Amino acid sequence: QVQLMESGGGLVQPGGSLTLSCTASASIMDVPVIHWYRQAPEKQRELVGLISNLGSTTLVDAVKGRFTISRNNAKNTVILRMNRLKPEDTAVYYCNIPAYSGGPAWGQGTQVTVSS
């Protein structure tokens, strides 16, 4: 079972940027889809976006135009680049390989706090 580890979270001011990484313990080259989720305090976990093994991405409306997802199969890494961050982006961010894509696998999450 592949293991996932997120990194790159932290405290950033509104309007700032952060780059999150999701590193897998095994090759992701043949993993069809990898998701990014987030969970804000006292809220349900929600999908942020996903990337296919061909590099196509889908992002939810709340982050579209501000966030991008990319993957580096050679480094077994998926990147979530977050720009123009807002306080409502504050959450724990998780990467996920869904069951239909060979998982399920979840990372431990990384905290993102957007505050002045």
Side-chain angles (χ1 to χ4, degrees), residues 48-101:
V48 174
L50 60 88
I51 186 166
S52 77
N53 59 341
L54 299 179
S56 62
T57 60
T58 301
L59 291 151
V60 299
D61 287 346
V63 305
K64 201 172 292 184
R66 300 187 297 122
F67 291 12
T68 60
I69 302 175
S70 60
R71 64 194 281 172
N72 185 329
N73 289 334
K75 295 185 177 181
N76 300 331
T77 299
V78 176
I79 300 294
L80 178 66
R81 175 67 177 174
M82 307 185 294
N83 297 316
R84 302 199 308 275
L85 282 159
K86 305 175 181 181
E88 51 263 43
D89 295 318
T90 295
V92 179
Y93 283 72
Y94 301 88
C95 56
N96 159 257
I97 297 175
Y100 67 82
S101 192

